[in-house]
Amino acid sequence: MLQNKKISFLGGGAMAEALIRGILKAGLFKPEQVTANDISQERLHYLADRYQIRTSPEGAAVAAEAEILFLTVKPQVINQVLKHVASKVRKETTVISIVAGFTIAALEEALPQVPVVRVMPNTPVAVGEGMSAIALGTFADAGTGEIASAIFSSVGQVVNLPESLLDAVTGLSGSGPGYAFVMIDALADAGVRAGLPRAQALLLSAQTLLGAAKMVIETGEHPGKLRDMVTSPGGTTIAGIHVLEQRGVRAALSDAVIAAANRSRELGKK
């Protein structure tokens, strides 16, 4: 499916680098199949040296040769980039956009009859534990979806959803790492408060959330059932959970997701 295909990235930032790292590590592509474009020569030199991929400052040329074209630029420049490269993109090229707030309709207006895919990934793709939601455009068939799924599965997990749900995805998994970092930091501070050294408290905090998340995914059990398994009558865990419920942590997380999803909708209208 991906053998010998040329894959290109318009935009060589952190998310592009994470994807490049993931697909190379997974063996989906060889370095010589991958080309990155960016306005920064320094960034291009870094990517070429680090991953042995091809780089070019010429976006139109990169788009012209791509069989799979990633749009990994900032939202504020996507219209300018598309105007520059649109005439060079072939009808058989698969275009995958991770540009926040830029709709499939807008992509298809700029790239008529081209199979486009819109993806909402999150930052843990950088360590191979990302969560990505994929929405297919009008001209994208099952094969196009398989290509996108294979690529993003190399850096985490994938779900296929209608585009109408991507704002909700943004509020939950797109912004979710930020919520998790706050929780890790707060738990580590509490560990220090309880007498632990800072480094050990941070490791205990981060690994605990990582382990809990893996238990949910790998056992398939509802988190409520897993919680009950560690809450002995009159024990330490139920005492701590009682405080969380008293302080409204569950409601605060729910409100955070809804606020982020609403903000994503607002940004998409601009």
Side-chain angles (χ1 to χ4, degrees):
M1 177 174 58
L2 300 175
Q3 190 175 14
N4 299 321
K5 285 188 178 291
K6 294 180 179 179
I7 180 170
S8 299
F9 292 81
L10 293 179
M15 194 65 79
E17 182 182 357
L19 290 167
I20 290 167
R21 183 191 304 118
I23 62 178
L24 293 178
K25 184 177 180 180
L28 293 180
F29 296 88
K30 297 176 182 177
E32 58 266 26
Q33 293 174 257
V34 181
T35 304
N37 160 260
D38 199 86
I39 59 172
S40 168
Q41 284 287 355
E42 182 180 355
R43 185 65 180 168
L44 294 181
H45 288 317
Y46 163 79
L47 292 171
D49 290 342
R50 179 72 183 271
Y51 301 102
Q52 304 303 305
I53 64 171
R54 300 166 61 211
T55 61
S56 172
E58 300 296 331
V62 167
E65 70 169 18
E67 294 171 271
I68 302 170
L69 180 63
F70 266 86
L71 302 178
T72 47
V73 297
K74 299 291 185 184
Q76 56 265 35
V77 301
I78 182 61
N79 283 308
Q80 179 183 346
V81 169
L82 285 175
K83 285 179 183 178
H84 182 61
V85 307
S87 64
K88 304 296 183 182
V89 178
R90 294 171 291 170
K91 294 293 189 293
E92 61 270 24
T93 298
T94 296
V95 175
I96 301 176
S97 171
I98 66 167
V99 181
F102 202 73
T103 65
I104 288 173
L107 287 166
E108 291 181 340
E109 182 178 355
L111 302 167
Q113 299 184 316
V114 173
V116 301
V117 183
R118 186 179 168 198
V119 184
M120 182 61 227
N122 63 9
T123 54
V125 297
V127 292
E129 293 294 346
M131 185 69 245
S132 301
I134 294 174
L136 300 182
T138 307
F139 302 98
D141 58 17
T144 307
E146 288 174 7
I147 288 171
S149 292
I151 292 171
F152 283 92
S153 292
S154 74
V155 289
Q157 298 215 41
V158 170
V159 293
N160 292 280
L161 292 170
E163 186 185 27
S164 60
L165 294 178
L166 290 191
D167 289 317
V169 170
T170 300
L172 180 55
S173 65
S175 300
Y179 317 148
F181 297 144
V182 169
M183 288 186 280
I184 291 169
D185 190 33
L187 288 171
D189 278 350
V192 172
R193 184 181 175 192
L196 291 167
R198 169 66 62 181
Q200 284 81 359
L202 186 58
L203 176 61
L204 286 161
S205 175
Q207 181 63 33
T208 296
L209 285 187
L210 173 63
K214 288 195 73 171
M215 284 189 71
V216 171
I217 292 171
E218 293 186 8
T219 67
E221 297 286 1
H222 190 279
K225 181 176 180 179
L226 295 174
R227 178 201 59 212
D228 288 347
M229 290 169 57
V230 296
T231 49
S232 303
T236 60
T237 305
I238 193 62
I241 289 174
H242 176 68
V243 173
L244 294 177
E245 297 292 5
Q246 273 189 323
R247 303 294 170 84
V249 171
R250 182 189 297 265
L253 288 170
S254 177
D255 289 347
V257 171
I258 299 304
N262 288 340
R263 180 58 178 157
S264 178
R265 291 187 187 94
E266 291 172 4
L267 291 173
K269 293 175 182 177
K270 291 183 178 180

